[in-house]
């Protein structure tokens, strides 16, 4: 499947772009339900597919993932509430919701204990806080094996410079902490960032095997974490899911043989399930030139899609001309309406502005930004008092509003003037 949009686009998810903008306004996120379900199906070889809902926590997306057969990984009390609101259960086997974090804020600890949510601890203090509050039964540990990997320094989740996970040298001390509280450590979670380098993956899997052996015979499950990459460009490598599974299945098989009982194999994808099934539709509101660049200014900005300004992330883009005509290509800088020079969609890591070839844009045209289903709407903000965008799900050839656009009244709701 090509991820690069044609320079000119008229439909997304099978529906006319201009009809979507007419019916729901701009900027608006559009999700394809069938695409999400298809991505879950690709991972069916794993025993448990646990969706990292931080990638897209819209209730409609959560419900589609759950109906496709996946369960949920949550990182906050709000995400637990959302998972339950989308039809998930609090308890079950395997756990339908797992709270994975490096800290318990007070609300999250309360909710975990009240609802009996399974816990994956990423710090020694979490074990004590859970046990001291009366947490019982089993828990899993997220362990930092001492090295990491990722598409950006800001998303590398392993190694000595990462805050994530229990440092591998503290594993035995954490097992002792759990034992003091009467807690059984039954699972191991290793996630160090994204990538498809199979040699690197083999190193991660070998580290997981060594750590799991140190946990001992009580171990019942291992999690490969997330990190399955999204192809934002056609040149980006496509992950070989069968080979990816094979590396982890070999580790699971070796552990099961040594422990004398089955070991469940989990995977925790986030953006892999939703990124390529989402688009951001935004309207061209101005075109202007400087000595060096032509700027195409749209009504979405980093308050709508933050990945470019945070990580220098690339997203494929296409123009939907208002008149439907084909137009000559121009090298342009695509930017938003905010009062920061960093409000640019076409930038590389470090804020270096680049251009992108698009058909000659005019006010009233629509710009479609692809691969926007993950870390798009969930990272949006009300900066400069701009409302959060609408979100729409396309299913069975029909578009349905699944989150209304914020109103001006919503922006000040809850505020008080003393």
């Amino acid at each position: 499947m090509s991820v690069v949009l044609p320079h000119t686009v008229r439909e997304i998810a099978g529906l006319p772009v201009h009809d979507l903008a007419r019916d729901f306004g701009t900027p608006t996120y559009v999700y394809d339900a069938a695409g999400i379900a298809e991505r879950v199906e690709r991972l069916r070889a794993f025993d448990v597919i646990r969706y990292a809902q931080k990638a897209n926590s819209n209730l409609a997306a959560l419900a589609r993932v759950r109906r496709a057969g996946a369960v949920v990984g949550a990182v906050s009390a709000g995400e637990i509430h959302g998972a339950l609101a989308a039809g998930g259960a609090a308890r079950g086997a395997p756990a339908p919701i797992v709270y994975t974090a490096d800290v318990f804020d007070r609300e999250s600890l309360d909710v975990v204990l009240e609802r009996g949510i399974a816990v994956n601890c990423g710090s020694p203090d979490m074990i004590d806080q859970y046990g001291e509050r009366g947490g019982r039964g089993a828990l899993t540990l997220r362990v930092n094996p001492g090295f990491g990997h990722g598409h950006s320094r800001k998303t590398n989740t392993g190694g000595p410079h990462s805050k994530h996970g229990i440092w591998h040298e503290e594993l035995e001390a954490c097992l002792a902490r759990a034992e003091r509280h009467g807690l059984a450590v039954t699972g191991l979670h290793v996630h160090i960032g994204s990538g498809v380098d199979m040699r690197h993956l083999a190193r991660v899997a070998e580290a997981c095997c060594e750590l799991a052996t140190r946990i001992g015979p009580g171990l019942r499950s291992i999690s490969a974490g997330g990190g399955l990459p999204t192809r934002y460009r056609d040149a980006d490598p496509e992950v070989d899911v069968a080979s990816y599974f094979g590396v982890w299945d070999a580790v699971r098989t070796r552990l099961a043989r040594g422990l004398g009982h089955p070991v469940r194999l989990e995977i925790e994808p986030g953006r892999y399930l939703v990124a390529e099934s989402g688009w951001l539709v935004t309207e061209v509101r101005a075109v202007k030139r400087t000595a060096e660049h032509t700027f195409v200014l749209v009504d979405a900005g980093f308050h709508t899609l933050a990945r470019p300004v945070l990580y220098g992330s690339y997203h494929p883009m296409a123009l939907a001309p208002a008149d439907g005509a084909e137009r000559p290509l121009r090298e342009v800088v695509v930017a938003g309406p905010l009062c920061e020079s960093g409000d640019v969609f076409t930038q590389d890591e470090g804020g270096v502005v680049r251009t992108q070839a698009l058909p000659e844009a005019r006010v009233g045209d629509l710009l479609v930004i692809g691969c926007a289903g993950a870390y798009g709407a969930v990272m949006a903000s009300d900066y400069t008092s701009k409302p959060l965008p609408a979100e729409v799900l396309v299913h069975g050839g029909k578009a349905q509003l699944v989150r209304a656009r914020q109103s001006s009244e919503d922006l000040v709701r809850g505020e008080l003037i003393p």
Side-chain angles (χ1 to χ4, degrees):
M1 171 179 165
S2 175
V3 298
V4 173
L5 294 169
H7 293 299
T8 301
V9 64
R10 292 174 175 80
E11 293 185 350
I12 55 175
L15 299 179
V17 179
H18 282 275
D19 288 358
L20 290 166
R22 178 199 64 208
D23 295 342
F24 302 105
T26 59
T28 289
Y29 280 97
V30 180
Y31 310 123
D32 178 15
I36 295 172
E38 189 272 336
R39 279 304 176 95
V40 175
E41 188 60 34
R42 289 189 193 186
L43 302 177
R44 192 64 66 190
F46 289 85
D47 297 326
V48 177
I49 306 164
R50 188 170 299 284
Y51 173 53
Q53 75 178 79
K54 63 178 180 166
N56 186 328
S57 60
N58 186 282
L59 296 187
L62 286 172
R64 293 294 160 183
V65 167
R66 185 179 60 80
R67 291 171 193 169
V71 290
V72 167
V75 298
S76 69
E79 285 195 352
I80 292 171
H81 178 76
L84 295 172
R91 306 183 191 201
I97 304 171
V98 170
Y99 176 81
T100 296
D102 294 291
V103 299
F104 276 125
D105 58 61
R106 295 184 186 278
E107 182 184 10
S108 294
L109 183 54
D110 289 344
V111 171
V112 160
L113 292 166
E114 289 168 8
R115 301 306 297 261
I117 303 296
V119 174
N120 182 34
C121 295
S123 66
D125 284 324
M126 284 185 72
I127 300 170
D128 287 338
Q129 291 162 4
Y130 183 71
E132 289 164 1
R133 282 284 304 276
R136 292 292 178 265
L139 50 77
T140 62
L141 301 182
R142 177 176 180 175
V143 179
N144 181 334
F147 58 92
H149 196 255
H151 66 87
S152 166
R153 286 175 295 176
K154 296 179 182 179
T155 60
N156 187 320
T157 58
H161 300 294
S162 173
K163 67 178 182 177
H164 296 294
I166 293 165
W167 189 243
H168 61 100
E169 293 175 347
E170 294 191 355
L171 176 56
E172 280 73 19
C174 287
L175 294 173
R177 284 184 187 233
E179 186 176 7
R180 285 197 299 270
H181 294 292
L183 298 167
V185 175
T186 60
L188 172 65
H189 177 282
V190 178
H191 172 55
I192 62 168
S194 57
V196 292
D197 184 323
M198 288 300 166
R199 288 182 299 176
H200 180 81
L201 184 66
R203 184 184 176 201
V204 178
E206 189 61 35
C208 178
C209 187
E210 189 270 335
L211 292 165
T213 302
R214 286 160 61 186
I215 290 175
L219 185 86
R220 299 288 170 175
S221 69
I222 58 172
S223 173
L228 290 169
T230 289
R231 295 174 64 236
Y232 292 92
R233 297 178 171 90
D234 269 355
D236 292 342
E238 179 78 65
V239 61
D240 182 343
V241 173
S243 296
Y244 197 98
F245 171 76
V247 170
W248 284 104
D249 188 46
V251 168
R252 179 260 297 276
T253 300
R254 194 189 334 165
L255 284 170
R257 189 180 303 116
L259 296 172
H261 59 71
V263 174
R264 187 171 67 245
L265 176 59
E266 296 199 5
I267 191 168
E268 193 179 77
R271 64 187 177 127
Y272 180 78
L273 297 186
V274 292
E276 293 177 45
S277 295
W279 298 264
L280 174 59
V281 180
T282 180
E283 184 183 2
V284 176
R285 298 303 302 156
V287 180
K288 63 181 183 179
R289 294 167 181 82
T290 67
E292 295 187 13
H293 296 302
T294 296
F295 287 87
V296 174
L297 304 180
V298 297
D299 62 2
F302 71 63
H303 64 296
T304 320
L305 177 64
R307 294 186 75 251
V309 72
L310 286 177
Y311 312 125
S313 299
Y314 173 90
H315 284 265
M317 299 180 189
L319 197 74
D323 59 7
E326 294 291 335
R327 299 183 192 155
L329 296 181
R330 300 285 186 263
E331 288 291 328
V332 299
V333 175
V334 179
L338 303 180
C339 50
E340 277 80 16
S341 296
D343 186 26
V344 173
F345 289 113
T346 51
Q347 62 176 288
D348 296 323
E349 190 165 11
V352 178
V353 173
R354 60 172 175 80
T355 62
Q356 183 151 333
L358 286 171
E360 186 174 69
R362 301 170 188 167
V363 173
D365 292 338
L366 298 174
L367 183 79
V368 176
I369 302 177
C371 295
Y375 303 107
V378 289
M379 298 178 80
S381 75
D382 289 321
Y383 181 53
T384 70
S385 293
K386 289 186 177 292
L388 296 176
E391 295 176 69
V392 171
L393 183 76
V394 178
H395 178 60
K398 296 182 180 180
Q400 181 177 351
L401 185 69
V402 293
R403 179 176 282 148
R405 187 180 313 282
Q406 269 189 321
S407 67
S408 296
E409 292 74 22
D410 291 332
L411 289 171
V412 296
R413 186 168 287 116
E415 295 188 24
L416 303 171
I417 300 175

